[in-house]
Amino acid sequence: NVVQLSTVLVPGTVTMDGRTLTPALAYGTPINVQALEGGRAVATGDFSITGDKVAPVQAALTAHGITATALHSHLIGEEPKIYYMHFWADGPLPDVLQGLRAALDAARSPQ
């Protein structure tokens, strides 16, 4: 079974060319977790974050053995600028969940 959750980590409104973007269509953060045999889990998705959150989120993932597999932009001219950090996790389910929680906390922490 795969569990998918989605959240929004960019506070406020995101606009492009003066139009408000819908989080689900432009900057939601999807996370997919699949429990496997033996208490192991894999997870993938991407954190949609502003530039000031890139280093803290990557540090949180790395500290928990989760690999950031890509960092790029999906949009052009949005305000604020959004970065998409894709990730891959593979390990004991509690460790994977703890690492994802740490990354979510890093994305939400005040500067």
Side-chain angles (χ1 to χ4, degrees), residues 31-36 39-44 47 60-61 64-67 87-104:
I31 298 173
N32 303 287
V33 180
Q34 182 175 4
L36 303 172
R40 193 172 127 243
V42 292
T44 191
F47 289 88
L61 292 172
H64 290 87
I66 299 174
T67 303
F87 66 89
W88 173 254
D90 185 344
L93 178 60
D95 294 352
V96 168
L97 296 178
Q98 184 180 27
L100 294 173
R101 177 58 189 256
L104 288 167

Side-chain angles (χ1 to χ4, degrees), residues 7-99:
T7 188
V8 176
L9 300 173
V10 178
T13 301
V14 177
T15 61
M16 189 164 58
D17 295 327
R19 294 187 175 121
T20 300
L21 299 178
T22 303
L25 298 176
Y27 59 97
T29 293
I31 298 173
N32 303 287
V33 180
Q34 182 175 4
L36 303 172
E37 292 181 16
R40 193 172 127 243
V42 292
T44 191
D46 59 282
F47 289 88
S48 303
I49 50 179
T50 53
D52 61 321
K53 300 299 182 179
V54 169
V57 169
Q58 185 171 16
L61 292 172
T62 300
H64 290 87
I66 299 174
T67 303
T69 58
L71 177 66
H72 56 258
S73 176
H74 290 187
L75 305 171
I76 297 172
E78 76 280 11
E79 184 60 41
K81 182 72 181 157
I82 308 294
Y83 295 90
Y84 301 83
M85 183 178 297
H86 297 257
F87 66 89
W88 173 254
D90 185 344
L93 178 60
D95 294 352
V96 168
L97 296 178
Q98 184 180 27

